[in-house]
Amino acid sequence: MPTIKPYTIADFSPHLFWDTEKSNLDFNSNKAQIIHQVLEYGMLSDWKIIARLYGIEEIASTCCSFRNLDPRALTFISTLSGIPLEKFRCHSTKQSIPPQCDF
């Protein structure tokens, strides 16, 4: 049976954490930030890492408390987890000032 190497922040795409000092990120204490960045800006390989680290249920429950999330990412995680869109905070609470461009 092959061994699974432990993941590090360096395993993620380099563009994901441009706004953060990568050496300060911790998989437990910064879980919400890591999940949000991957869902918003990550590649498939990044998604596979967080799916292995946290599992779909943990990712979905973390996303339920997000104030904002890209509509595509929201639909993606809702579909995968089976949690209705209405259970996600970012779906039921819209921003008072919408973004300039809604693609």
Side-chain angles (χ1 to χ4, degrees), residues 11-62:
D11 293 321
F12 289 99
S13 298
H15 68 276
L16 277 181
F17 304 106
W18 72 92
D19 58 346
T20 307
E21 182 61 42
K22 292 179 188 179
S23 61
N24 294 337
L25 288 175
D26 176 65
F27 286 125
N28 292 322
S29 58
N30 301 107
K31 175 176 61 173
Q33 179 184 5
I34 292 169
I35 290 171
H36 190 269
Q37 292 291 95
V38 169
L39 285 175
E40 293 263 334
Y41 309 109
M43 308 293 282
L44 181 59
S45 59
D46 302 317
W47 165 255
K48 288 178 181 179
I49 293 172
I50 66 167
R52 288 185 188 123
L53 284 173
Y54 303 119
I56 301 297
E57 294 81 21
E58 183 68 24
I59 293 170
S61 68
T62 302

